[in-house]
PDB file of all heavy atoms in Angstrom:
ATOM      1  N   VAL A  33     135.238  15.123 142.424  1.00  0.00           N
ATOM      2  CA  VAL A  33     135.007  16.544 142.641  1.00  0.00           C
ATOM      3  C   VAL A  33     134.729  16.738 144.126  1.00  0.00           C
ATOM      4  O   VAL A  33     133.737  16.225 144.649  1.00  0.00           O
ATOM      5  CB  VAL A  33     133.819  17.067 141.802  1.00  0.00           C
ATOM      6  CG1 VAL A  33     133.559  18.537 142.130  1.00  0.00           C
ATOM      7  CG2 VAL A  33     134.114  16.903 140.315  1.00  0.00           C
ATOM      8  N   LEU A  34     135.625  17.443 144.806  1.00  0.00           N
ATOM      9  CA  LEU A  34     135.462  17.667 146.241  1.00  0.00           C
ATOM     10  C   LEU A  34     134.499  18.825 146.478  1.00  0.00           C
ATOM     11  O   LEU A  34     134.401  19.752 145.673  1.00  0.00           O
ATOM     12  CB  LEU A  34     136.811  17.971 146.882  1.00  0.00           C
ATOM     13  CG  LEU A  34     137.879  16.871 146.752  1.00  0.00           C
ATOM     14  CD1 LEU A  34     139.200  17.335 147.358  1.00  0.00           C
ATOM     15  CD2 LEU A  34     137.410  15.581 147.419  1.00  0.00           C
ATOM     16  N   ALA A  35     133.764  18.753 147.597  1.00  0.00           N
ATOM     17  CA  ALA A  35     132.782  19.801 147.891  1.00  0.00           C
ATOM     18  C   ALA A  35     132.498  19.851 149.379  1.00  0.00           C
ATOM     19  O   ALA A  35     132.576  18.824 150.074  1.00  0.00           O
ATOM     20  CB  ALA A  35     131.483  19.543 147.134  1.00  0.00           C
ATOM     21  N   ASN A  36     132.178  21.043 149.849  1.00  0.00           N
ATOM     22  CA  ASN A  36     131.713  21.183 151.228  1.00  0.00           C
ATOM     23  C   ASN A  36     130.345  20.530 151.385  1.00  0.00           C
ATOM     24  O   ASN A  36     130.068  19.874 152.390  1.00  0.00           O
ATOM     25  CB  ASN A  36     131.629  22.658 151.615  1.00  0.00           C
ATOM     26  CG  ASN A  36     131.169  22.861 153.051  1.00  0.00           C
ATOM     27  OD1 ASN A  36     131.925  22.638 153.984  1.00  0.00           O
ATOM     28  ND2 ASN A  36     129.925  23.282 153.229  1.00  0.00           N
ATOM     29  N   THR A  37     129.487  20.706 150.376  1.00  0.00           N
ATOM     30  CA  THR A  37     128.167  20.083 150.355  1.00  0.00           C
ATOM     31  C   THR A  37     127.885  19.555 148.953  1.00  0.00           C
ATOM     32  O   THR A  37     127.997  20.300 147.978  1.00  0.00           O
ATOM     33  CB  THR A  37     127.058  21.083 150.729  1.00  0.00           C
ATOM     34  OG1 THR A  37     127.316  21.614 152.029  1.00  0.00           O
ATOM     35  CG2 THR A  37     125.693  20.408 150.727  1.00  0.00           C
ATOM     36  N   VAL A  38     127.528  18.298 148.859  1.00  0.00           N
ATOM     37  CA  VAL A  38     127.110  17.713 147.589  1.00  0.00           C
ATOM     38  C   VAL A  38     125.595  17.810 147.499  1.00  0.00           C
ATOM     39  O   VAL A  38     124.882  17.349 148.399  1.00  0.00           O
ATOM     40  CB  VAL A  38     127.554  16.234 147.473  1.00  0.00           C
ATOM     41  CG1 VAL A  38     126.968  15.608 146.212  1.00  0.00           C
ATOM     42  CG2 VAL A  38     129.069  16.136 147.480  1.00  0.00           C
ATOM     43  N   ILE A  39     125.104  18.425 146.436  1.00  0.00           N
ATOM     44  CA  ILE A  39     123.657  18.501 146.212  1.00  0.00           C
ATOM     45  C   ILE A  39     123.271  17.378 145.260  1.00  0.00           C
ATOM     46  O   ILE A  39     123.651  17.385 144.090  1.00  0.00           O
ATOM     47  CB  ILE A  39     123.247  19.856 145.617  1.00  0.00           C
ATOM     48  CG1 ILE A  39     123.655  20.999 146.555  1.00  0.00           C
ATOM     49  CG2 ILE A  39     121.745  19.894 145.374  1.00  0.00           C
ATOM     50  CD1 ILE A  39     123.392  22.388 145.970  1.00  0.00           C
ATOM     51  N   ASP A  40     122.527  16.429 145.769  1.00  0.00           N
ATOM     52  CA  ASP A  40     122.055  15.303 144.962  1.00  0.00           C
ATOM     53  C   ASP A  40     120.734  15.707 144.318  1.00  0.00           C
ATOM     54  O   ASP A  40     119.668  15.615 144.913  1.00  0.00           O
ATOM     55  CB  ASP A  40     121.873  14.067 145.844  1.00  0.00           C
ATOM     56  CG  ASP A  40     121.436  12.828 145.072  1.00  0.00           C
ATOM     57  OD1 ASP A  40     120.968  12.980 143.929  1.00  0.00           O
ATOM     58  OD2 ASP A  40     121.543  11.714 145.623  1.00  0.00           O
ATOM     59  N   ALA A  41     120.838  16.179 143.069  1.00  0.00           N
ATOM     60  CA  ALA A  41     119.651  16.597 142.325  1.00  0.00           C
ATOM     61  C   ALA A  41     119.316  15.586 141.238  1.00  0.00           C
ATOM     62  O   ALA A  41     118.700  15.926 140.226  1.00  0.00           O
ATOM     63  CB  ALA A  41     119.873  17.975 141.718  1.00  0.00           C
ATOM     64  N   THR A  42     119.715  14.337 141.450  1.00  0.00           N
ATOM     65  CA  THR A  42     119.396  13.298 140.469  1.00  0.00           C
ATOM     66  C   THR A  42     117.905  13.005 140.422  1.00  0.00           C
ATOM     67  O   THR A  42     117.410  12.421 139.456  1.00  0.00           O
ATOM     68  CB  THR A  42     120.132  11.994 140.809  1.00  0.00           C
ATOM     69  OG1 THR A  42     119.697  11.512 142.085  1.00  0.00           O
ATOM     70  CG2 THR A  42     121.643  12.199 140.836  1.00  0.00           C
ATOM     71  N   GLY A  43     117.175  13.376 141.473  1.00  0.00           N
ATOM     72  CA  GLY A  43     115.754  13.051 141.555  1.00  0.00           C
ATOM     73  C   GLY A  43     115.509  11.626 141.997  1.00  0.00           C
ATOM     74  O   GLY A  43     114.364  11.217 142.207  1.00  0.00           O
ATOM     75  N   ASN A  44     116.577  10.862 142.153  1.00  0.00           N
ATOM     76  CA  ASN A  44     116.468   9.445 142.498  1.00  0.00           C
ATOM     77  C   ASN A  44     117.362   9.094 143.680  1.00  0.00           C
ATOM     78  O   ASN A  44     117.587   7.922 143.953  1.00  0.00           O
ATOM     79  CB  ASN A  44     116.854   8.599 141.276  1.00  0.00           C
ATOM     80  CG  ASN A  44     116.304   7.198 141.328  1.00  0.00           C
ATOM     81  OD1 ASN A  44     115.216   6.972 141.852  1.00  0.00           O
ATOM     82  ND2 ASN A  44     117.060   6.249 140.816  1.00  0.00           N
TER      83      ASN A  44
END
Side-chain angles (χ1 to χ4, degrees):
V33 176
L34 300 177
N36 181 74
T37 302
V38 174
I39 301 175
D40 182 343
T42 62
N44 202 33

